[in-house]
Amino acid sequence: MNNTHSQILVVSRDQMLLQTRRLILGTYFEVESAGRLSEAGSVLSKHDFDLIVLCDTLTDSECDQIAHMVEDHKPKPTLLSILGPGTKDHDRHVGRKVVLKGGPLQLVKECADLLGVDLRGKQRMFSN
């Protein structure tokens, strides 16, 4: 896996959350986003991803459908389900599960861990 250009797809129905997560993860990784299932399907048909982040705004059915979309992808991307604070049935969610008690930094660390990326010195520099 080329850790220099790890590709992440973030899927969420909440546009503000989607943009925030895209910006935060984009500091360290190449990130695409999708706000609807149809949009996720379109992006997945055109690009390969190392990791797909499924936000807690998605239904179990939507998460299952996305998992089904990438079933035959080679290499198969890792799925990370973000669980909401009131989520009880963790077995119903796909891939690795995480409750983000540590906020945005925890999401970055979880993604880096799943991708085998060392974050030290990885942050992109943006000019003002």
Side-chain angles (χ1 to χ4, degrees):
M1 182 184 320
N2 184 350
N3 292 340
T4 310
H5 300 290
S6 296
Q7 301 284 319
I8 297 176
L9 173 63
V10 181
V11 186
S12 174
R13 285 200 212 160
D14 182 322
Q15 288 300 314
M16 183 72 76
L17 191 59
L18 189 65
Q19 284 304 103
T20 301
R21 289 185 172 155
R22 181 179 181 166
L23 288 171
I24 291 165
L25 291 172
T27 304
Y28 297 93
F29 309 102
E30 299 293 326
V31 181
E32 294 285 331
S33 60
R36 294 181 316 278
L37 195 59
S38 60
E39 188 179 359
S42 176
V43 172
L44 286 166
S45 70
K46 297 174 189 163
H47 302 286
D48 291 325
F49 293 92
D50 302 300
L51 176 64
I52 300 174
V53 177
L54 304 169
C55 295
D56 58 344
T57 58
L58 301 173
T59 65
D60 290 344
S61 174
E62 289 169 324
C63 291
D64 288 340
Q65 289 177 57
I66 292 170
H68 183 71
M69 287 179 199
V70 299
E71 213 167 66
D72 297 327
H73 281 219
K74 302 279 189 245
K76 186 176 175 182
T78 301
L79 299 173
L80 175 64
S81 289
I82 297 174
L83 304 178
T87 307
K88 292 187 177 20
D89 191 354
H90 293 187
D91 291 337
R92 291 177 35 202
H93 295 272
V94 297
R96 183 163 166 182
K97 297 117 183 135
V98 63
V99 176
L100 293 180
K101 293 180 181 175
L105 184 56
Q106 183 187 354
L107 177 59
V108 170
K109 288 178 178 178
E110 290 284 342
C111 291
D113 182 51
L114 285 169
L115 295 167
V117 172
D118 182 0
L119 293 177
R120 290 175 294 200
K122 177 91 171 90
Q123 184 173 1
R124 295 184 196 167
M125 300 307 288
F126 295 100
S127 58
N128 292 339

